[in-house]
Amino acid sequence: LSPAARTALFQTVDAFLDNWQAHGRPLTAARELRHDRFLFVAVDEKATDASGCSIDALVHQVQGLEQTLGVIMTDNSPVWYRDGESVRQSTRAEFRNLATRGKVAPETIVFDNTIQSVGALRDGKWEIPARDSWHGQAFFSDGGGAGR
């Protein structure tokens, strides 16, 4: 994100989180942006659990930002990985092709955006070798070469 887009993102998300509720009860939440690409939003479930409706409200808010900022933030289909120090994005088909050609390997660091807790993030389960996430099964199921 550009500095202006980042500012707009934080202003909108922070305003939303300040008033975020589940069934009329305020949610204690925080957000973090990593690599100017990944927005994390967490709820303190000890205070109040998020509901399906409250999560939908957040997703709709972010989808509105996508249109305003001209970026896609809610699409779970891309594969995000590291190429040296750079963060790269590819379609699943492109990533499979890279795996087949040996351009990515089970040791390639990927971003496992399926994690569901701050604990998993803090425990280092987000940025991990492909073999240690769903990517290993999907793209390297033969133990080292390209998957199906």
Side-chain angles (χ1 to χ4, degrees), residues 10-62:
F10 288 153
Q11 288 175 343
T12 302
V13 170
D14 290 348
F16 178 84
L17 294 181
D18 286 345
N19 297 297
W20 198 19
Q21 296 183 3
H23 303 293
R25 297 178 64 195
L27 293 171
T28 303
R31 57 92 178 134
E32 181 179 345
L33 185 67
R34 291 200 179 179
H35 307 299
D36 278 327
R37 290 173 173 81
F38 304 100
L39 176 65
F40 290 91
V41 176
V43 172
D44 181 356
E45 293 178 334
K46 292 177 186 169
T48 304
D49 285 340
S51 65
C53 292
S54 65
I55 293 168
D56 287 347
L58 172 63
V59 171
H60 286 112
Q61 187 73 36
V62 173

Side-chain angles (χ1 to χ4, degrees), residues 112 114-128:
D112 185 354
T114 66
I115 63 168
Q116 296 184 21
S117 70
V118 173
L121 181 64
R122 289 179 180 155
D123 289 344
K125 295 184 190 309
W126 175 56
E127 219 174 315
I128 57 176

